[in-house]
PDB file of all heavy atoms in Angstrom:
ATOM      1  N   CYS N   3       1.128   5.447   0.379  1.00  0.00           N
ATOM      2  CA  CYS N   3       0.488   6.660   0.908  1.00  0.00           C
ATOM      3  C   CYS N   3       1.172   7.859   0.192  1.00  0.00           C
ATOM      4  O   CYS N   3       2.337   8.031   0.171  1.00  0.00           O
ATOM      5  CB  CYS N   3       0.740   6.845   2.372  1.00  0.00           C
ATOM      6  SG  CYS N   3      -0.004   8.362   3.111  1.00  0.00           S
ATOM      7  N   VAL N   5       1.608  11.952  -0.301  1.00  0.00           N
ATOM      8  CA  VAL N   5       1.530  13.134   0.589  1.00  0.00           C
ATOM      9  C   VAL N   5       1.691  14.269  -0.563  1.00  0.00           C
ATOM     10  O   VAL N   5       2.633  14.410  -1.269  1.00  0.00           O
ATOM     11  CB  VAL N   5       2.622  13.319   1.540  1.00  0.00           C
ATOM     12  CG1 VAL N   5       2.397  14.599   2.362  1.00  0.00           C
ATOM     13  CG2 VAL N   5       2.479  12.076   2.569  1.00  0.00           C
ATOM     14  N   SER N 136      -3.786   5.572  -0.368  1.00  0.00           N
ATOM     15  CA  SER N 136      -4.357   6.779   0.236  1.00  0.00           C
ATOM     16  C   SER N 136      -3.622   7.972  -0.144  1.00  0.00           C
ATOM     17  O   SER N 136      -2.420   7.916  -0.490  1.00  0.00           O
ATOM     18  CB  SER N 136      -4.326   6.601   1.801  1.00  0.00           C
ATOM     19  OG  SER N 136      -2.883   6.512   2.261  1.00  0.00           O
ATOM     20  N   ILE N 137      -4.260   9.164  -0.027  1.00  0.00           N
ATOM     21  CA  ILE N 137      -3.750  10.416  -0.374  1.00  0.00           C
ATOM     22  C   ILE N 137      -3.938  11.256   0.854  1.00  0.00           C
ATOM     23  O   ILE N 137      -5.059  11.499   1.348  1.00  0.00           O
ATOM     24  CB  ILE N 137      -4.448  11.025  -1.680  1.00  0.00           C
ATOM     25  CG1 ILE N 137      -4.321  10.144  -2.849  1.00  0.00           C
ATOM     26  CG2 ILE N 137      -3.890  12.351  -1.955  1.00  0.00           C
ATOM     27  CD1 ILE N 137      -5.258  10.588  -3.944  1.00  0.00           C
ATOM     28  N   ILE N 138      -2.850  11.941   1.300  1.00  0.00           N
ATOM     29  CA  ILE N 138      -2.908  12.949   2.318  1.00  0.00           C
ATOM     30  C   ILE N 138      -2.497  14.241   1.651  1.00  0.00           C
ATOM     31  O   ILE N 138      -1.448  14.336   1.049  1.00  0.00           O
ATOM     32  CB  ILE N 138      -1.862  12.544   3.459  1.00  0.00           C
ATOM     33  CG1 ILE N 138      -2.243  11.316   4.216  1.00  0.00           C
ATOM     34  CG2 ILE N 138      -1.784  13.778   4.356  1.00  0.00           C
ATOM     35  CD1 ILE N 138      -1.249  10.890   5.190  1.00  0.00           C
ATOM     36  N   THR N 139      -3.250  15.201   1.784  1.00  0.00           N
ATOM     37  CA  THR N 139      -3.047  16.478   1.092  1.00  0.00           C
ATOM     38  C   THR N 139      -3.203  17.685   2.061  1.00  0.00           C
ATOM     39  O   THR N 139      -4.251  17.619   2.930  1.00  0.00           O
ATOM     40  CB  THR N 139      -3.909  16.673  -0.103  1.00  0.00           C
ATOM     41  OG1 THR N 139      -3.522  17.983  -0.769  1.00  0.00           O
ATOM     42  CG2 THR N 139      -5.315  16.649   0.118  1.00  0.00           C
ATOM     43  N   PHE N 140      -2.459  18.610   1.901  1.00  0.00           N
ATOM     44  CA  PHE N 140      -2.505  19.863   2.592  1.00  0.00           C
ATOM     45  C   PHE N 140      -3.139  20.976   1.772  1.00  0.00           C
ATOM     46  O   PHE N 140      -3.257  22.218   2.261  1.00  0.00           O
ATOM     47  CB  PHE N 140      -1.067  20.406   3.145  1.00  0.00           C
ATOM     48  CG  PHE N 140      -0.362  19.329   3.958  1.00  0.00           C
ATOM     49  CD1 PHE N 140       0.306  18.318   3.500  1.00  0.00           C
ATOM     50  CD2 PHE N 140      -0.618  19.461   5.374  1.00  0.00           C
ATOM     51  CE1 PHE N 140       0.968  17.432   4.409  1.00  0.00           C
ATOM     52  CE2 PHE N 140       0.075  18.639   6.239  1.00  0.00           C
ATOM     53  CZ  PHE N 140       0.934  17.528   5.738  1.00  0.00           C
ATOM     54  N   ILE N 163     -13.029  10.082   4.643  1.00  0.00           N
ATOM     55  CA  ILE N 163     -12.793   9.515   5.885  1.00  0.00           C
ATOM     56  C   ILE N 163     -13.901   9.878   6.798  1.00  0.00           C
ATOM     57  O   ILE N 163     -14.641   9.035   7.414  1.00  0.00           O
ATOM     58  CB  ILE N 163     -11.436  10.001   6.580  1.00  0.00           C
ATOM     59  CG1 ILE N 163     -10.364   9.570   5.708  1.00  0.00           C
ATOM     60  CG2 ILE N 163     -11.324   9.385   7.880  1.00  0.00           C
ATOM     61  CD1 ILE N 163     -10.112   8.054   5.444  1.00  0.00           C
ATOM     62  N   ILE N 188      -7.495  12.280   2.393  1.00  0.00           N
ATOM     63  CA  ILE N 188      -7.473  12.915   3.745  1.00  0.00           C
ATOM     64  C   ILE N 188      -7.006  14.339   3.568  1.00  0.00           C
ATOM     65  O   ILE N 188      -5.829  14.558   3.282  1.00  0.00           O
ATOM     66  CB  ILE N 188      -6.506  12.149   4.690  1.00  0.00           C
ATOM     67  CG1 ILE N 188      -6.977  10.738   4.780  1.00  0.00           C
ATOM     68  CG2 ILE N 188      -6.634  12.830   6.076  1.00  0.00           C
ATOM     69  CD1 ILE N 188      -6.165   9.892   5.588  1.00  0.00           C
ATOM     70  N   LYS N 189      -7.853  15.356   3.681  1.00  0.00           N
ATOM     71  CA  LYS N 189      -7.554  16.729   3.528  1.00  0.00           C
ATOM     72  C   LYS N 189      -7.357  17.453   4.796  1.00  0.00           C
ATOM     73  O   LYS N 189      -8.320  17.771   5.613  1.00  0.00           O
ATOM     74  CB  LYS N 189      -8.618  17.428   2.676  1.00  0.00           C
ATOM     75  CG  LYS N 189      -8.985  16.628   1.351  1.00  0.00           C
ATOM     76  CD  LYS N 189      -9.789  17.503   0.379  1.00  0.00           C
ATOM     77  CE  LYS N 189      -8.976  18.455  -0.401  1.00  0.00           C
ATOM     78  NZ  LYS N 189      -9.671  19.045  -1.664  1.00  0.00           N
ATOM     79  N   LEU N 190      -6.106  17.537   5.211  1.00  0.00           N
ATOM     80  CA  LEU N 190      -5.737  17.966   6.552  1.00  0.00           C
ATOM     81  C   LEU N 190      -6.100  19.419   6.783  1.00  0.00           C
ATOM     82  O   LEU N 190      -5.967  19.848   7.991  1.00  0.00           O
ATOM     83  CB  LEU N 190      -4.270  17.597   6.865  1.00  0.00           C
ATOM     84  CG  LEU N 190      -3.920  16.157   6.868  1.00  0.00           C
ATOM     85  CD1 LEU N 190      -2.498  15.886   7.222  1.00  0.00           C
ATOM     86  CD2 LEU N 190      -4.879  15.338   7.905  1.00  0.00           C
ATOM     87  N   ASN N 309      -8.960  16.494  14.270  1.00  0.00           N
ATOM     88  CA  ASN N 309      -8.352  15.503  15.042  1.00  0.00           C
ATOM     89  C   ASN N 309      -8.421  14.127  14.459  1.00  0.00           C
ATOM     90  O   ASN N 309      -7.554  13.288  14.402  1.00  0.00           O
ATOM     91  CB  ASN N 309      -8.949  15.455  16.532  1.00  0.00           C
ATOM     92  CG  ASN N 309      -8.499  16.752  17.288  1.00  0.00           C
ATOM     93  OD1 ASN N 309      -7.558  17.400  16.958  1.00  0.00           O
ATOM     94  ND2 ASN N 309      -9.381  17.056  18.213  1.00  0.00           N
ATOM     95  N   GLN N 310      -9.702  13.703  13.999  1.00  0.00           N
ATOM     96  CA  GLN N 310      -9.954  12.436  13.317  1.00  0.00           C
ATOM     97  C   GLN N 310      -9.094  12.344  12.092  1.00  0.00           C
ATOM     98  O   GLN N 310      -8.561  11.331  11.798  1.00  0.00           O
ATOM     99  CB  GLN N 310     -11.453  12.280  13.165  1.00  0.00           C
ATOM    100  CG  GLN N 310     -11.775  10.893  12.557  1.00  0.00           C
ATOM    101  CD  GLN N 310     -13.216  10.615  12.404  1.00  0.00           C
ATOM    102  OE1 GLN N 310     -14.003  11.368  12.964  1.00  0.00           O
ATOM    103  NE2 GLN N 310     -13.579   9.599  11.574  1.00  0.00           N
ATOM    104  N   LEU N 311      -9.201  13.323  11.298  1.00  0.00           N
ATOM    105  CA  LEU N 311      -8.387  13.334  10.008  1.00  0.00           C
ATOM    106  C   LEU N 311      -6.940  13.243  10.246  1.00  0.00           C
ATOM    107  O   LEU N 311      -6.314  12.387   9.565  1.00  0.00           O
ATOM    108  CB  LEU N 311      -8.652  14.707   9.316  1.00  0.00           C
ATOM    109  CG  LEU N 311     -10.096  14.935   8.695  1.00  0.00           C
ATOM    110  CD1 LEU N 311     -10.324  16.283   8.125  1.00  0.00           C
ATOM    111  CD2 LEU N 311     -10.411  13.756   7.686  1.00  0.00           C
ATOM    112  N   TRP N 312      -6.367  13.980  11.268  1.00  0.00           N
ATOM    113  CA  TRP N 312      -4.881  13.759  11.443  1.00  0.00           C
ATOM    114  C   TRP N 312      -4.578  12.494  12.079  1.00  0.00           C
ATOM    115  O   TRP N 312      -3.520  11.936  11.820  1.00  0.00           O
ATOM    116  CB  TRP N 312      -4.506  14.987  12.441  1.00  0.00           C
ATOM    117  CG  TRP N 312      -4.338  16.259  11.674  1.00  0.00           C
ATOM    118  CD1 TRP N 312      -5.283  17.121  11.316  1.00  0.00           C
ATOM    119  CD2 TRP N 312      -3.111  16.812  11.232  1.00  0.00           C
ATOM    120  NE1 TRP N 312      -4.816  18.176  10.581  1.00  0.00           N
ATOM    121  CE2 TRP N 312      -3.434  18.089  10.547  1.00  0.00           C
ATOM    122  CE3 TRP N 312      -1.668  16.423  11.305  1.00  0.00           C
ATOM    123  CZ2 TRP N 312      -2.436  18.872   9.951  1.00  0.00           C
ATOM    124  CZ3 TRP N 312      -0.813  17.276  10.674  1.00  0.00           C
ATOM    125  CH2 TRP N 312      -1.158  18.462  10.062  1.00  0.00           C
ATOM    126  N   ARG N 313      -5.474  11.869  12.949  1.00  0.00           N
ATOM    127  CA  ARG N 313      -5.207  10.592  13.417  1.00  0.00           C
ATOM    128  C   ARG N 313      -5.237   9.491  12.287  1.00  0.00           C
ATOM    129  O   ARG N 313      -4.296   8.606  12.315  1.00  0.00           O
ATOM    130  CB  ARG N 313      -6.235  10.119  14.425  1.00  0.00           C
ATOM    131  CG  ARG N 313      -6.138  10.779  15.790  1.00  0.00           C
ATOM    132  CD  ARG N 313      -7.052  10.077  16.804  1.00  0.00           C
ATOM    133  NE  ARG N 313      -8.491  10.204  16.487  1.00  0.00           N
ATOM    134  CZ  ARG N 313      -9.242  11.082  16.903  1.00  0.00           C
ATOM    135  NH1 ARG N 313      -8.676  12.077  17.753  1.00  0.00           N
ATOM    136  NH2 ARG N 313     -10.588  11.124  16.610  1.00  0.00           N
ATOM    137  N   ASN N 314      -6.095   9.664  11.278  1.00  0.00           N
ATOM    138  CA  ASN N 314      -6.142   8.729  10.184  1.00  0.00           C
ATOM    139  C   ASN N 314      -4.894   8.936   9.358  1.00  0.00           C
ATOM    140  O   ASN N 314      -4.343   7.881   8.807  1.00  0.00           O
ATOM    141  CB  ASN N 314      -7.399   8.953   9.339  1.00  0.00           C
ATOM    142  CG  ASN N 314      -8.578   8.171   9.911  1.00  0.00           C
ATOM    143  OD1 ASN N 314      -8.885   7.038   9.554  1.00  0.00           O
ATOM    144  ND2 ASN N 314      -9.399   8.781  10.783  1.00  0.00           N
ATOM    145  N   ALA N 315      -4.393  10.139   9.100  1.00  0.00           N
ATOM    146  CA  ALA N 315      -3.288  10.399   8.356  1.00  0.00           C
ATOM    147  C   ALA N 315      -2.072   9.692   9.141  1.00  0.00           C
ATOM    148  O   ALA N 315      -1.239   9.090   8.395  1.00  0.00           O
ATOM    149  CB  ALA N 315      -2.965  11.845   8.274  1.00  0.00           C
ATOM    150  N   GLU N 316      -2.021   9.755  10.339  1.00  0.00           N
ATOM    151  CA  GLU N 316      -0.852   9.093  11.080  1.00  0.00           C
ATOM    152  C   GLU N 316      -0.893   7.581  10.883  1.00  0.00           C
ATOM    153  O   GLU N 316       0.133   6.942  10.745  1.00  0.00           O
ATOM    154  CB  GLU N 316      -1.014   9.475  12.510  1.00  0.00           C
ATOM    155  CG  GLU N 316       0.138   8.823  13.373  1.00  0.00           C
ATOM    156  CD  GLU N 316       0.102   9.309  14.862  1.00  0.00           C
ATOM    157  OE1 GLU N 316      -0.108  10.554  15.101  1.00  0.00           O
ATOM    158  OE2 GLU N 316       0.308   8.482  15.753  1.00  0.00           O
ATOM    159  N   MET N 317      -2.099   7.085  10.818  1.00  0.00           N
ATOM    160  CA  MET N 317      -2.292   5.565  10.725  1.00  0.00           C
ATOM    161  C   MET N 317      -1.775   5.205   9.381  1.00  0.00           C
ATOM    162  O   MET N 317      -1.162   4.108   9.063  1.00  0.00           O
ATOM    163  CB  MET N 317      -3.677   5.171  10.966  1.00  0.00           C
ATOM    164  CG  MET N 317      -4.134   5.159  12.423  1.00  0.00           C
ATOM    165  SD  MET N 317      -5.641   4.357  12.778  1.00  0.00           S
ATOM    166  CE  MET N 317      -6.881   5.624  11.949  1.00  0.00           C
ATOM    167  N   GLU N 318      -2.141   6.000   8.345  1.00  0.00           N
ATOM    168  CA  GLU N 318      -1.755   5.711   6.908  1.00  0.00           C
ATOM    169  C   GLU N 318      -0.333   5.680   6.847  1.00  0.00           C
ATOM    170  O   GLU N 318       0.307   4.873   6.144  1.00  0.00           O
ATOM    171  CB  GLU N 318      -2.495   6.680   5.954  1.00  0.00           C
ATOM    172  CG  GLU N 318      -3.986   6.739   5.909  1.00  0.00           C
ATOM    173  CD  GLU N 318      -4.495   5.282   5.320  1.00  0.00           C
ATOM    174  OE1 GLU N 318      -3.756   4.737   4.603  1.00  0.00           O
ATOM    175  OE2 GLU N 318      -5.690   5.013   5.559  1.00  0.00           O
ATOM    176  N   LEU N 319       0.435   6.687   7.391  1.00  0.00           N
ATOM    177  CA  LEU N 319       1.872   6.865   7.291  1.00  0.00           C
ATOM    178  C   LEU N 319       2.539   5.686   8.046  1.00  0.00           C
ATOM    179  O   LEU N 319       3.655   5.238   7.815  1.00  0.00           O
ATOM    180  CB  LEU N 319       2.253   8.163   7.846  1.00  0.00           C
ATOM    181  CG  LEU N 319       1.886   9.411   6.982  1.00  0.00           C
ATOM    182  CD1 LEU N 319       2.176  10.648   7.690  1.00  0.00           C
ATOM    183  CD2 LEU N 319       2.659   9.277   5.644  1.00  0.00           C
ATOM    184  N   ALA N 320       1.869   5.347   9.235  1.00  0.00           N
ATOM    185  CA  ALA N 320       2.460   4.129   9.949  1.00  0.00           C
ATOM    186  C   ALA N 320       2.337   2.812   9.308  1.00  0.00           C
ATOM    187  O   ALA N 320       3.087   1.982   9.634  1.00  0.00           O
ATOM    188  CB  ALA N 320       1.797   4.236  11.338  1.00  0.00           C
ATOM    189  N   SER N 321       1.432   2.607   8.333  1.00  0.00           N
ATOM    190  CA  SER N 321       1.189   1.340   7.935  1.00  0.00           C
ATOM    191  C   SER N 321       1.645   1.225   6.424  1.00  0.00           C
ATOM    192  O   SER N 321       1.776   0.016   5.877  1.00  0.00           O
ATOM    193  CB  SER N 321      -0.274   0.932   7.939  1.00  0.00           C
ATOM    194  OG  SER N 321      -1.088   1.876   7.283  1.00  0.00           O
ATOM    195  N   LEU N 342       3.459  14.929  12.799  1.00  0.00           N
ATOM    196  CA  LEU N 342       2.765  13.808  12.089  1.00  0.00           C
ATOM    197  C   LEU N 342       3.540  12.713  11.681  1.00  0.00           C
ATOM    198  O   LEU N 342       3.388  11.570  12.116  1.00  0.00           O
ATOM    199  CB  LEU N 342       1.854  14.423  10.952  1.00  0.00           C
ATOM    200  CG  LEU N 342       1.134  13.289  10.153  1.00  0.00           C
ATOM    201  CD1 LEU N 342       0.019  12.686  10.870  1.00  0.00           C
ATOM    202  CD2 LEU N 342       0.581  14.045   8.943  1.00  0.00           C
ATOM    203  N   ALA N 346       4.150   8.952  13.405  1.00  0.00           N
ATOM    204  CA  ALA N 346       3.817   7.819  12.653  1.00  0.00           C
ATOM    205  C   ALA N 346       5.023   6.896  12.577  1.00  0.00           C
ATOM    206  O   ALA N 346       4.898   5.662  12.644  1.00  0.00           O
ATOM    207  CB  ALA N 346       3.431   8.314  11.220  1.00  0.00           C
ATOM    208  N   ARG N 349       5.731   4.578  15.459  1.00  0.00           N
ATOM    209  CA  ARG N 349       4.771   3.457  15.607  1.00  0.00           C
ATOM    210  C   ARG N 349       5.261   2.336  14.681  1.00  0.00           C
ATOM    211  O   ARG N 349       4.759   1.259  14.819  1.00  0.00           O
ATOM    212  CB  ARG N 349       3.342   3.937  15.271  1.00  0.00           C
ATOM    213  CG  ARG N 349       2.771   4.845  16.237  1.00  0.00           C
ATOM    214  CD  ARG N 349       1.593   5.418  15.792  1.00  0.00           C
ATOM    215  NE  ARG N 349       0.505   4.374  15.542  1.00  0.00           N
ATOM    216  CZ  ARG N 349      -0.724   4.537  15.173  1.00  0.00           C
ATOM    217  NH1 ARG N 349      -1.184   5.777  14.903  1.00  0.00           N
ATOM    218  NH2 ARG N 349      -1.516   3.588  14.928  1.00  0.00           N
TER     219      ARG N 349
END
Side-chain angles (χ1 to χ4, degrees):
C3 178
V5 180
S136 60
I137 303 169
I138 297 172
T139 179
F140 298 88
I163 300 295
I188 306 176
K189 308 194 80 168
L190 295 180
N309 290 333
Q310 183 176 348
L311 292 172
W312 282 78
R313 283 194 299 269
N314 275 271
E316 183 178 317
M317 289 189 291
E318 296 293 338
L319 292 171
S321 60
L342 172 68
R349 296 174 53 180

